[in-house]
Coordinates of all heavy atoms in Angstrom, one line a residue:
M1 N 98.0 99.2 71.1 CA 98.7 98.7 72.3 C 97.9 97.5 72.9 O 96.9 97.8 73.6 CB 99.0 99.7 73.3 CG 100.1 99.4 74.3 SD 100.6 100.8 75.3 CE 99.4 100.6 76.7
A2 N 98.3 96.4 72.6 CA 97.5 95.2 73.1 C 98.0 94.8 74.5 O 99.2 94.9 74.8 CB 97.7 94.0 72.2
T3 N 97.1 94.5 75.3 CA 97.4 94.1 76.7 C 97.1 92.6 76.8 O 96.3 92.1 76.2 CB 96.7 94.9 77.8 OG1 95.3 94.9 77.4 CG2 97.2 96.3 77.9
E4 N 97.9 92.0 77.7 CA 97.7 90.5 77.9 C 96.4 90.3 78.6 O 95.9 91.1 79.4 CB 98.8 90.1 78.9 CG 100.2 90.0 78.3 CD 100.3 88.7 77.4 OE1 100.0 87.6 77.9 OE2 100.7 88.8 76.3
P5 N 95.6 89.3 78.2 CA 94.4 89.0 78.9 C 94.6 88.6 80.3 O 95.6 87.9 80.6 CB 93.8 87.9 78.1 CG 94.9 87.3 77.3 CD 95.9 88.3 77.1
V6 N 93.8 89.2 81.2 CA 94.0 88.8 82.6 C 92.9 87.8 82.9 O 91.7 88.0 82.6 CB 93.8 90.1 83.5 CG1 93.9 89.7 85.0 CG2 94.9 91.1 83.2
R7 N 93.4 86.7 83.5 CA 92.4 85.6 83.8 C 92.1 85.6 85.3 O 92.9 85.9 86.1 CB 93.0 84.3 83.3 CG 93.2 84.2 81.8 CD 93.4 82.9 81.3 NE 93.5 82.9 79.8 CZ 92.4 83.0 79.0 NH1 91.2 83.0 79.5 NH2 92.6 83.1 77.7
C8 N 90.9 85.1 85.5 CA 90.4 85.0 86.9 C 91.3 84.0 87.7 O 91.6 82.9 87.2 CB 89.0 84.5 86.9 SG 88.3 84.2 88.5
A9 N 91.7 84.4 88.9 CA 92.5 83.6 89.7 C 91.8 82.4 90.2 O 92.4 81.4 90.7 CB 93.1 84.4 90.9
R10 N 90.5 82.4 90.1 CA 89.7 81.3 90.6 C 89.2 80.3 89.6 O 89.4 79.1 89.7 CB 88.5 81.9 91.4 CG 87.7 80.9 92.2 CD 86.9 81.6 93.2 NE 86.1 80.7 94.0 CZ 84.7 80.6 93.7 NH1 84.2 81.4 92.8 NH2 84.0 79.8 94.4
C11 N 88.6 80.8 88.5 CA 88.0 79.9 87.5 C 88.7 80.0 86.2 O 88.5 79.1 85.3 CB 86.5 80.2 87.3 SG 86.2 81.8 86.5
G12 N 89.6 80.9 86.0 CA 90.4 81.0 84.8 C 89.8 81.7 83.6 O 90.3 81.8 82.5
E13 N 88.5 82.2 83.9 CA 87.9 83.0 82.8 C 88.6 84.3 82.6 O 89.2 84.8 83.6 CB 86.4 83.3 83.3 CG 85.5 82.1 83.1 CD 85.2 81.8 81.7 OE1 84.9 82.7 80.9 OE2 85.1 80.6 81.3
E14 N 88.6 84.8 81.4 CA 89.2 86.1 81.2 C 88.4 87.2 81.8 O 87.2 87.2 81.8 CB 89.3 86.3 79.7 CG 90.2 87.5 79.3 CD 90.3 87.6 77.8 OE1 90.4 86.6 77.1 OE2 90.3 88.8 77.3
I15 N 89.1 88.1 82.5 CA 88.4 89.2 83.1 C 88.2 90.3 82.1 O 89.1 90.7 81.5 CB 89.2 89.7 84.3 CG1 89.4 88.6 85.4 CG2 88.5 90.9 85.0 CD1 90.3 88.9 86.5
P16 N 87.0 90.7 81.9 CA 86.7 91.7 80.8 C 87.4 93.0 81.1 O 87.6 93.4 82.3 CB 85.1 91.9 80.9 CG 84.6 90.8 81.8 CD 85.7 90.3 82.6
A17 N 87.8 93.6 80.0 CA 88.5 94.9 80.1 C 87.7 95.9 80.9 O 88.3 96.8 81.6 CB 88.9 95.4 78.8
E18 N 86.4 95.9 80.8 CA 85.6 96.9 81.4 C 85.7 96.7 82.9 O 85.7 97.7 83.7 CB 84.1 96.7 81.0 CG 83.8 96.9 79.6 CD 84.0 95.5 78.8 OE1 83.3 94.6 79.2 OE2 84.9 95.5 77.9
R19 N 85.8 95.5 83.4 CA 85.9 95.3 84.8 C 87.3 95.7 85.3 O 87.4 96.3 86.4 CB 85.7 93.8 85.1 CG 85.9 93.4 86.6 CD 85.4 92.1 86.9 NE 85.9 91.6 88.2 CZ 85.4 92.0 89.4 NH1 84.4 92.8 89.4 NH2 85.8 91.5 90.5
R20 N 88.3 95.5 84.5 CA 89.7 95.9 84.9 C 89.8 97.4 84.9 O 90.7 97.9 85.6 CB 90.7 95.2 84.1 CG 90.8 93.7 84.4 CD 92.0 93.1 83.7 NE 91.7 92.9 82.3 CZ 92.6 93.4 81.3 NH1 93.7 94.0 81.6 NH2 92.2 93.2 80.1
E21 N 89.0 98.0 84.1 CA 89.1 99.5 84.1 C 88.5 100.0 85.4 O 89.1 101.0 85.9 CB 88.2 100.0 82.9 CG 89.1 100.7 81.8 CD 88.2 101.0 80.6 OE1 87.3 101.7 80.7 OE2 88.6 100.5 79.5
V22 N 87.4 99.4 85.9 CA 86.8 99.9 87.1 C 87.6 99.5 88.3 O 87.8 100.2 89.3 CB 85.4 99.4 87.2 CG1 84.7 99.9 88.5 CG2 84.6 99.8 86.0
L23 N 88.1 98.2 88.3 CA 88.9 97.7 89.4 C 90.2 97.2 88.8 O 90.4 96.0 88.5 CB 88.1 96.5 89.9 CG 87.0 96.7 91.0 CD1 86.2 95.5 91.2 CD2 87.6 97.2 92.3
P24 N 91.2 98.1 88.7 CA 92.5 97.7 88.0 C 93.2 96.6 88.8 O 94.0 95.8 88.2 CB 93.3 99.0 88.1 CG 92.3 100.1 88.4 CD 91.2 99.5 89.1
D25 N 93.0 96.4 90.1 CA 93.7 95.4 90.8 C 92.9 94.2 91.1 O 93.2 93.4 92.0 CB 94.3 96.0 92.1 CG 93.3 96.8 92.9 OD1 92.2 97.0 92.4 OD2 93.7 97.4 93.9
T26 N 91.9 94.0 90.3 CA 91.0 92.8 90.5 C 91.8 91.6 90.0 O 92.6 91.6 89.1 CB 89.7 92.9 89.8 OG1 88.8 91.9 90.3 CG2 89.8 92.9 88.3
R27 N 91.5 90.4 90.6 CA 92.1 89.2 90.2 C 91.0 88.1 89.9 O 91.4 87.0 89.5 CB 93.0 88.6 91.2 CG 94.4 89.3 91.2 CD 95.4 88.5 91.9 NE 96.5 89.4 92.3 CZ 97.2 89.2 93.4 NH1 97.0 88.2 94.2 NH2 98.2 90.1 93.7
V28 N 89.8 88.4 90.1 CA 88.8 87.4 89.9 C 87.7 88.1 89.0 O 87.5 89.3 88.9 CB 88.1 86.9 91.2 CG1 89.1 86.1 92.0 CG2 87.5 88.0 92.0
C29 N 86.9 87.2 88.3 CA 85.8 87.7 87.5 C 84.6 88.1 88.3 O 84.6 87.9 89.5 CB 85.5 86.6 86.4 SG 84.7 85.2 87.2
V30 N 83.6 88.6 87.6 CA 82.5 89.1 88.4 C 81.8 88.0 89.1 O 81.4 88.2 90.3 CB 81.5 89.8 87.4 CG1 80.3 90.4 88.1 CG2 82.2 90.8 86.5
G31 N 81.6 86.9 88.5 CA 80.9 85.7 89.1 C 81.6 85.3 90.3 O 80.9 85.0 91.3
C32 N 82.9 85.1 90.3 CA 83.6 84.7 91.4 C 83.6 85.7 92.5 O 83.5 85.4 93.7 CB 85.1 84.3 91.1 SG 85.2 82.8 90.0
S33 N 83.7 86.9 92.2 CA 83.7 88.0 93.2 C 82.4 88.0 93.9 O 82.3 88.1 95.1 CB 83.9 89.3 92.5 OG 83.7 90.4 93.4
R34 N 81.3 87.7 93.2 CA 80.0 87.5 93.8 C 79.9 86.3 94.7 O 79.4 86.4 95.8 CB 78.9 87.5 92.7 CG 77.6 87.9 93.2 CD 76.5 87.8 92.1 NE 76.8 88.8 91.0 CZ 76.8 88.4 89.7 NH1 76.5 87.2 89.3 NH2 77.0 89.4 88.8
D35 N 80.5 85.2 94.2 CA 80.5 84.0 95.0 C 81.2 84.2 96.4 O 80.9 83.7 97.4 CB 81.3 82.9 94.3 CG 80.4 82.3 93.2 OD1 79.2 82.7 93.1 OD2 80.9 81.4 92.5
M36 N 82.3 85.1 96.3 CA 83.1 85.3 97.5 C 82.5 86.3 98.4 O 83.0 86.6 99.5 CB 84.5 85.8 97.1 CG 85.3 84.7 96.4 SD 86.7 85.5 95.5 CE 87.6 86.3 96.8
G37 N 81.4 87.0 97.9 CA 80.8 88.1 98.7 C 81.7 89.3 98.6 O 81.8 90.1 99.5
G38 N 82.4 89.5 97.5 CA 83.2 90.6 97.3 C 84.7 90.2 97.4 O 85.0 89.4 98.2
E39 N 85.5 90.8 96.5 CA 86.9 90.4 96.5 C 87.7 91.1 97.6 O 88.6 90.5 98.1 CB 87.5 90.8 95.1 CG 88.9 90.4 94.9 CD 89.5 90.8 93.6 OE1 88.7 91.4 92.8 OE2 90.6 90.4 93.3
F40 N 87.2 92.2 97.9 CA 88.0 93.0 98.9 C 87.2 93.3 100.2 O 86.0 93.3 100.2 CB 88.4 94.4 98.3 CG 89.3 94.3 97.1 CD1 88.7 94.4 95.8 CD2 90.6 94.0 97.2 CE1 89.5 94.3 94.7 CE2 91.4 93.9 96.1 CZ 90.9 94.1 94.9
R41 N 88.0 93.4 101.2 CA 87.4 93.8 102.5 C 88.0 95.3 102.7 O 89.2 95.5 102.4 CB 87.9 92.9 103.6 CG 87.0 92.8 104.8 CD 87.4 91.4 105.4 NE 88.8 91.1 105.5 CZ 89.6 91.4 106.4 NH1 89.2 92.1 107.5 NH2 90.9 91.0 106.4
V42 N 87.2 96.2 103.1 CA 87.7 97.5 103.3 C 87.9 97.7 104.8 O 87.0 97.5 105.6 CB 86.7 98.6 102.8 CG1 87.2 100.0 103.1 CG2 86.5 98.4 101.3
V43 N 89.1 98.1 105.2 CA 89.4 98.3 106.6 C 89.6 99.8 106.8 O 90.2 100.5 105.9 CB 90.6 97.5 107.1 CG1 90.3 96.1 107.3 CG2 91.8 97.7 106.2
V44 N 89.2 100.3 107.9 CA 89.3 101.7 108.2 C 90.4 101.9 109.2 O 90.4 101.3 110.3 CB 88.0 102.3 108.7 CG1 88.1 103.8 109.0 CG2 86.9 102.1 107.7
I45 N 91.3 102.7 108.9 CA 92.5 103.0 109.8 C 92.5 104.5 110.2 O 92.5 105.4 109.4 CB 93.8 102.7 109.1 CG1 93.8 101.2 108.6 CG2 95.0 103.0 110.0 CD1 94.5 101.0 107.3
P46 N 92.3 104.7 111.5 CA 92.4 106.1 112.0 C 93.8 106.6 111.9 O 94.8 105.9 112.2 CB 91.9 106.0 113.5 CG 92.0 104.5 113.8 CD 92.1 103.7 112.6
E47 N 93.8 107.8 111.4 CA 95.2 108.5 111.3 C 95.5 109.1 112.6 O 94.7 110.0 113.1 CB 95.1 109.6 110.2 CG 95.3 109.1 108.8 CD 95.1 110.1 107.8 OE1 94.9 111.3 108.1 OE2 94.9 109.7 106.6
R48 N 96.6 108.7 113.2 CA 97.0 109.3 114.4 C 97.9 110.5 114.2 O 99.0 110.3 113.6 CB 97.6 108.3 115.3 CG 96.8 108.0 116.5 CD 97.4 106.8 117.3 NE 98.9 107.1 117.5 CZ 99.6 106.7 118.6 NH1 98.9 106.0 119.5 NH2 100.8 106.9 118.7
T49 N 97.5 111.6 114.6 CA 98.4 112.7 114.4 C 99.1 113.2 115.7 O 100.0 114.0 115.6 CB 97.6 113.9 113.8 OG1 96.5 114.2 114.7 CG2 97.1 113.6 112.4
S50 N 98.7 112.6 116.8 CA 99.3 113.0 118.1 C 100.6 112.2 118.3 O 100.7 111.1 117.7 CB 98.4 112.8 119.2 OG 98.0 111.4 119.3
K51 N 101.5 112.7 119.1 CA 102.7 112.0 119.3 C 102.5 110.8 120.3 O 101.6 110.8 121.1 CB 103.7 113.0 120.0 CG 104.3 113.9 119.0 CD 105.2 114.9 119.7 CE 105.6 116.1 118.8 NZ 105.8 117.3 119.6
D52 N 103.4 109.8 120.2 CA 103.3 108.7 121.1 C 103.4 109.2 122.5 O 104.3 110.0 122.8 CB 104.4 107.7 120.8 CG 104.0 106.8 119.7 OD1 102.8 106.7 119.4 OD2 104.9 106.2 119.1
G53 N 102.6 108.6 123.4 CA 102.7 109.0 124.8 C 101.8 110.2 125.1 O 101.6 110.5 126.3
S54 N 101.4 110.9 124.2 CA 100.5 112.0 124.5 C 99.1 111.5 124.9 O 98.6 110.6 124.3 CB 100.4 112.9 123.2 OG 99.3 113.8 123.4
L55 N 98.6 112.2 125.9 CA 97.3 111.7 126.4 C 96.1 112.3 125.5 O 95.0 111.8 125.5 CB 97.0 112.2 127.8 CG 97.9 111.6 128.9 CD1 97.7 112.3 130.2 CD2 97.6 110.1 129.0
K56 N 96.5 113.3 124.8 CA 95.5 113.9 124.0 C 95.4 113.1 122.7 O 96.3 112.9 122.0 CB 96.0 115.3 123.6 CG 94.9 116.3 123.2 CD 95.4 117.7 123.1 CE 95.0 118.2 121.7 NZ 95.8 119.5 121.4
K57 N 94.2 112.6 122.5 CA 93.9 111.8 121.3 C 93.5 112.8 120.2 O 92.6 113.6 120.3 CB 92.8 110.8 121.5 CG 93.2 109.8 122.5 CD 93.3 108.4 121.8 CE 93.4 107.3 122.7 NZ 94.5 107.3 123.7
N58 N 94.3 112.8 119.2 CA 94.0 113.7 118.1 C 94.0 112.9 116.8 O 95.0 112.6 116.2 CB 95.1 114.8 118.1 CG 94.8 115.8 117.0 OD1 93.7 115.9 116.4 ND2 95.8 116.6 116.7
Y59 N 92.8 112.6 116.4 CA 92.7 111.8 115.2 C 92.4 112.8 114.0 O 91.5 113.5 114.0 CB 91.5 110.8 115.3 CG 91.8 109.7 116.3 CD1 91.2 109.7 117.5 CD2 92.8 108.7 116.0 CE1 91.5 108.7 118.4 CE2 93.1 107.8 116.9 CZ 92.4 107.7 118.1 OH 92.7 106.7 119.0
G60 N 93.3 112.7 113.1 CA 93.2 113.6 112.0 C 92.1 113.2 111.0 O 91.6 114.0 110.3
G61 N 91.9 111.9 110.9 CA 90.9 111.4 110.0 C 91.1 109.9 109.8 O 91.7 109.3 110.7
Y62 N 90.5 109.5 108.8 CA 90.6 108.0 108.6 C 91.1 107.7 107.1 O 90.8 108.4 106.2 CB 89.2 107.4 108.7 CG 88.7 107.5 110.1 CD1 87.9 108.6 110.5 CD2 89.0 106.5 111.1 CE1 87.4 108.7 111.8 CE2 88.6 106.7 112.4 CZ 87.7 107.8 112.7 OH 87.3 107.9 114.0
T63 N 91.9 106.7 107.1 CA 92.2 106.2 105.8 C 91.5 104.8 105.6 O 91.4 104.1 106.5 CB 93.7 106.0 105.6 OG1 94.3 105.7 106.8 CG2 94.3 107.3 105.1
T64 N 91.2 104.5 104.4 CA 90.6 103.2 104.2 C 91.6 102.4 103.3 O 92.3 103.0 102.5 CB 89.2 103.3 103.5 OG1 89.4 104.1 102.3 CG2 88.2 103.9 104.4
R65 N 91.7 101.2 103.6 CA 92.5 100.3 102.8 C 91.7 99.1 102.4 O 91.0 98.5 103.1 CB 93.7 99.9 103.7 CG 94.8 99.3 102.9 CD 96.0 99.0 103.8 NE 96.6 100.3 104.2 CZ 97.6 100.4 105.1 NH1 98.0 99.3 105.7 NH2 98.1 101.5 105.4
K66 N 92.0 98.8 101.1 CA 91.3 97.6 100.6 C 92.2 96.4 100.9 O 93.4 96.4 100.5 CB 91.1 97.7 99.1 CG 89.8 98.5 98.8 CD 89.4 98.3 97.3 CE 90.5 98.8 96.4 NZ 90.1 98.7 95.0
V67 N 91.6 95.4 101.5 CA 92.4 94.1 101.7 C 91.8 93.1 100.9 O 90.6 92.8 100.9 CB 92.3 93.8 103.2 CG1 93.1 92.5 103.5 CG2 92.9 94.9 104.1
R68 N 92.7 92.5 100.1 CA 92.2 91.4 99.3 C 91.9 90.1 100.1 O 92.7 89.7 101.0 CB 93.3 91.0 98.3 CG 92.9 90.2 97.1 CD 94.1 89.8 96.3 NE 94.8 91.0 95.8 CZ 94.4 91.6 94.7 NH1 93.3 91.3 94.0 NH2 95.1 92.6 94.3
K69 N 90.8 89.6 99.9 CA 90.4 88.4 100.6 C 91.1 87.2 100.0 O 91.5 87.2 98.8 CB 88.9 88.1 100.5 CG 88.0 89.1 101.2 CD 86.6 88.6 101.0 CE 85.6 89.6 101.6 NZ 84.2 89.2 101.3
P70 N 91.4 86.1 100.8 CA 91.9 84.9 100.1 C 90.9 84.4 99.1 O 89.7 84.4 99.4 CB 92.1 83.9 101.3 CG 91.4 84.5 102.5 CD 91.2 85.9 102.2
I71 N 91.4 83.9 98.0 CA 90.5 83.5 97.0 C 90.2 82.0 97.2 O 91.1 81.1 97.1 CB 91.2 83.7 95.6 CG1 91.3 85.2 95.4 CG2 90.3 83.1 94.5 CD1 92.2 85.6 94.2
P72 N 89.0 81.6 97.5 CA 88.7 80.2 97.8 C 88.7 79.5 96.4 O 88.3 80.0 95.4 CB 87.3 80.3 98.4 CG 86.7 81.6 97.9 CD 87.9 82.5 97.6
P73 N 89.1 78.2 96.5 CA 89.0 77.4 95.2 C 87.6 77.2 94.8 O 86.7 77.1 95.6 CB 89.7 76.1 95.6 CG 89.6 76.0 97.1 CD 89.5 77.5 97.6
K74 N 87.4 77.1 93.5 CA 86.1 76.9 93.0 C 85.7 75.4 93.2 O 86.5 74.5 93.0 CB 86.1 77.2 91.5 CG 84.7 77.4 90.9 CD 84.8 77.9 89.4 CE 83.5 77.8 88.7 NZ 82.5 78.7 89.2
E75 N 84.5 75.2 93.6 CA 84.0 73.9 93.8 C 83.9 73.1 92.5 O 83.5 73.6 91.5 CB 82.6 73.9 94.5 CG 82.7 74.4 96.0 CD 81.4 75.0 96.4 OE1 80.4 74.4 96.0 OE2 81.4 75.9 97.2
Ligands
ZN1 ZN1 86.0 83.5 88.0

């Protein structure tokens, strides 16, 4: 089962399969990711389990979400 090569959204280099295995939703190669200081930003979202209007703050936990940074053009 051959898969289409995935190319870096920034420099056009093919993203190695090993990298895509670790980061399936990556769009840039290792070099560009490093240039950008990381492709993703991780935001922490507190889970609110209390009802709206309740004074009691009841946080059940946190979920983290990866936010893709805008990909800057290569110089
Ligand atoms: Zn690249």
Side-chain angles (χ1 to χ4, degrees):
M1 200 172 87
T3 47
E4 287 284 305
V6 176
R7 296 195 178 277
C8 174
R10 190 162 173 257
C11 72
E13 283 290 317
E14 194 176 318
I15 299 170
E18 302 85 61
R19 175 166 167 79
R20 284 190 288 130
E21 246 169 61
V22 183
L23 277 168
D25 44 2
T26 192
R27 280 197 203 151
V28 293
C29 69
V30 186
C32 289
S33 175
R34 201 180 295 131
D35 283 357
M36 291 161 62
E39 183 181 5
F40 298 101
R41 210 155 36 93
V42 177
V43 288
V44 180
I45 301 145
E47 274 172 14
R48 247 175 48 150
T49 53
S50 59
K51 284 176 192 150
D52 275 343
S54 170
L55 292 173
K56 202 170 126 193
K57 292 251 192 301
N58 181 17
Y59 293 108
Y62 296 92
T63 34
T64 54
R65 190 172 294 169
K66 278 195 300 183
V67 178
R68 193 186 302 279
K69 291 182 186 175
I71 296 166
K74 196 173 168 64
E75 287 158 35

